[in-house]
């Protein structure tokens, strides 16, 4: 697979890029319609289809150029894909329970899930990779849980979730973005829904001044909530600038309504801009409150009697805006109009003046409001001055030029729309390679279509989503691949493969299983050697090693009613030799990868002989990797 395109088609003498562009047809579209219009001959059509195919073909044994990280939506996980092949490489359970790895079942994962382990569901939307100097540093990936108001962190070296934080005082964490410059100190996240404070059942009215929602900053290292800011209206999506000073968020419910009609009453809602150093200054000066039992400092960012607070500015934009995207050149916050056919371009360079009170009208920072089509939801960038916006209602991606849109806003007659490409169907997010960093390379764009309708073999009333890969390297967007996915990748990101560095096997000192190591130490156990049963009243801890194709213990004895903890340390140090542990009829399953220690706790509630087995195919004698738990009647 190569990015290099020869300039001329040998037979026709046409520029291949121009030729594909002129047709504006993709292999898929052509194949579906059988359309061979214009100057296209059967041969040139076949060549176009073949070229699109070749672009995404990653031959057996070859590796993809990009990692893609897909949100698993209300399935609760993160998925790892290779781009451009769109092959799914791995799943990272986060807010869900995973039978294969034992996420949500093992002690290590339950330790990370903390109090929220009682929830078996999640709803993730926005995966984002930590950054240094506006570029991915490949350390962490963060993702929100709208369903249970959490934020999770995934360590990208092991591709496991290592911390989860529940945000206090709020309901439904939706938008999530990271500080880009100088490094990801904060994870910013939007609590969507307005609730009464305190929410104790005495007040149900959203008009009440004690009803509000909060903008949240989580410390990326400690994963503790650093501060919260009270806002007017609600909060949808957010992003940060490339200076490290401003973040912005969309609000679709400036009406503080609780019904659909009410939320659409105003012609304009707003974008709220936060001055982050100003918030920090308020907290340092002690000008904050706390809410309920939480100790998190809360700064009031609402207007009082028409006067702005020192930490926020509200910029009116039409209507029920949704996505909020910072352009790669650092110039604009772009709010996507949703119920307005427009996007609003906010000039970030003008924001210091707005905060300093030098502008008469907050709309003075708006420098473009291009009309793009119906239902603009999200915008992405190619690093060449173009923006790409999803049009949910039109089922299209529209490519437009930002500087030309700015000139048009000043009254100049310029056509800033470059192309509209049909996608299938109803796209939500879209994401171009590296578009949220300063390194946007304008190669690939993924449109996450919410409906697939007729694009795949039918699967009953519930259809897959359709994540479409679009080649944006040339002047014209070309749709090259349909990728069915299960509920529901709201968003995805792509990073170059050299930006993600993973471990091949576990480090024995990894903090991921440190609590288990500490427990073993207390029991006087050497995890790498010992195969021992520790009896501690009603609790039994079974320590064993594993080495293909055998467990260190092939039998152990407990009493009915004992609480049994099985701790396994995988002494195989060969890449890819993972073992599993399943105790039959006990709901017990876990992964133990090379050099890893995993543990799981259950009640031995049934007397008799119970087999356990290795669930990960590890050896020719994998079926024989078994053992017996003998439970004596109470
Ligand atoms: S939102 S489809 Cu949950 Cu990112 Cu816009
Ligand atoms: Cu060990 Cu299969
Ligand atoms: Ca509204």
């Amino acid at each position: 697979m190569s990015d290099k395109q020869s300039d001329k088609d040998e037979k026709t003498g046409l520029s291949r890029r121009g030729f594909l562009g002129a047709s504006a047809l993709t292999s898929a579209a052509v194949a579906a319609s059988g359309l061979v219009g214009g100057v296209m001959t059967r041969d040139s059509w076949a060549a176009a289809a073949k070229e699109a195919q070749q672009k995404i073909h990653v031959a057996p044994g070859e590796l993809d150029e990009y990692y893609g990280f897909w949100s698993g939506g209300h399935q609760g996980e993160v998925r790892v894909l290779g781009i451009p092949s769109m092959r799914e490489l791995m799943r990272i359970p986060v807010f869900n329970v995973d039978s294969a790895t034992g996420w949500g079942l093992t002690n290590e994962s339950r330790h990370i899930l903390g109090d929220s382990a009682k929830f078996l569901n999640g709803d993730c939307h926005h995966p984002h990779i930590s950054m240094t100097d506006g570029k991915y540093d490949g350390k962490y990936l963060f993702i929100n849980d709208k369903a249970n108001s959490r934020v999770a962190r995934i360590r990208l070296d092991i591709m496991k979730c290592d911390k989860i934080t529940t945000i206090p005082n709020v309901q439904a964490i939706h938008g999530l973005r990271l500080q880009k410059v100088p490094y990801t100190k904060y994870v910013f996240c939007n609590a969507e829904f307005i609730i009464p404070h305190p929410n104790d059942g005495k007040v149900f009215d959203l008009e009440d001044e004690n009803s509000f929602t909060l903008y949240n900053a989580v410390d990326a290292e400690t994963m503790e909530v650093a501060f919260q800011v009270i806002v007017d209206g609600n909060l949808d999506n957010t992003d940060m600038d490339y200076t490290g000073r401003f973040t912005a968020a969309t609000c679709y419910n400036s009406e503080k309504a609780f019904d659909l009609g009410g939320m659409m009453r105003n012609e304009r809602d707003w974008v709220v801009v936060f001055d982050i150093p100003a918030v920090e200054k308020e907290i340092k000066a002690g000008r904050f409150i706390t809410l309920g039992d939480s100790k998190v400092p809360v700064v009031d960012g609402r207007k009082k009697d028409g006067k702005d607070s020192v930490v926020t500015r509200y910029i009116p934009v039409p209507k029920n805006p949704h996505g909020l995207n910072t352009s790669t050149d650092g110039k604009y916050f772009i709010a996507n109009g949703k119920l307005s056919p427009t996007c609003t371009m906010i000039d970030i360079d003008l924001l210091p003046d707005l905060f300093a009170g030098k502008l008469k009208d907050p709309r003075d920072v708006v420098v473009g409001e291009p009309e793009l089509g119906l239902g603009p939801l999200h915008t992405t960038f190619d690093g060449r001055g173009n923006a790409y916006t999803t049009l949910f209602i039109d089922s299209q991606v529209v490519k437009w030029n930002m500087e030309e849109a700015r000139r048009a806003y000043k009254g100049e007659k310029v056509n800033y729309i470059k192309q509209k490409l049909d996608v299938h169907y109803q796209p939500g997010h879209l994401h171009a390679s590296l578009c949220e960093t300063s390194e946007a390379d304008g190669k690939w764009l993924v449109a996450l279509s919410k409906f697939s309708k007729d694009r795949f073999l039918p699967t009953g009333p519930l259809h897959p989503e359709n994540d479409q890969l679009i080649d944006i390297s040339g002047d014209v967007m070309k749709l090259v691949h349909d990728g069915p996915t299960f509920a529901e990748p709201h968003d995805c990101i792509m990073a170059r493969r050299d930006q993600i560095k993973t471990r091949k096997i576990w480090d024995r000192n990894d903090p991921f299983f440190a609590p288990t190591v500490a427990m073993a130490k207390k029991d006087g156990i050497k995890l790498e050697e010992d195969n021992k049963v520790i009896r501690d009243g009603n609790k039994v801890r079974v320590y064993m090693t594993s080495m293909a194709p055998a467990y260190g213990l092939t039998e152990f004895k407990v009493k009915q009613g004992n609480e049994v903890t099985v701790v396994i340390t995988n002494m195989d140090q060969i890449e890819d030799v993972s073992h599993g542990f399943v105790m039959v009829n006990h709901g017990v399953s876990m992964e133990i990868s090379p050099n890893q220690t995993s543990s799981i706790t259950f009640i031995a509630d049934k007397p008799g002989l119970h087999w356990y087995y290795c669930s990960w195919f590890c050896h020719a004698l994998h079926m024989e990797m078994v053992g017996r738990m003998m439970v004596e009647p109470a």
Side-chain angles (χ1 to χ4, degrees), residues 125-126 144 146 174-175 236-237 322-323 377-378 427-429 450 488 490-491:
H125 291 224
H126 303 113
N144 71 301
K146 178 166 168 175
H174 182 237
D236 193 351
N237 279 292
H322 181 58
L377 287 187
H378 294 276
H429 273 272
K450 303 284 191 191
E488 176 191 330
H490 288 261
D491 196 1

Side-chain angles (χ1 to χ4, degrees), residues 548-551 578-580 614-619 622-623 625:
Y551 294 115
S578 296
H579 299 290
C614 173
S615 50
W616 235 288
F617 210 110
C618 55
H619 190 275
H622 153 82
M623 295 303 288
M625 188 164 171

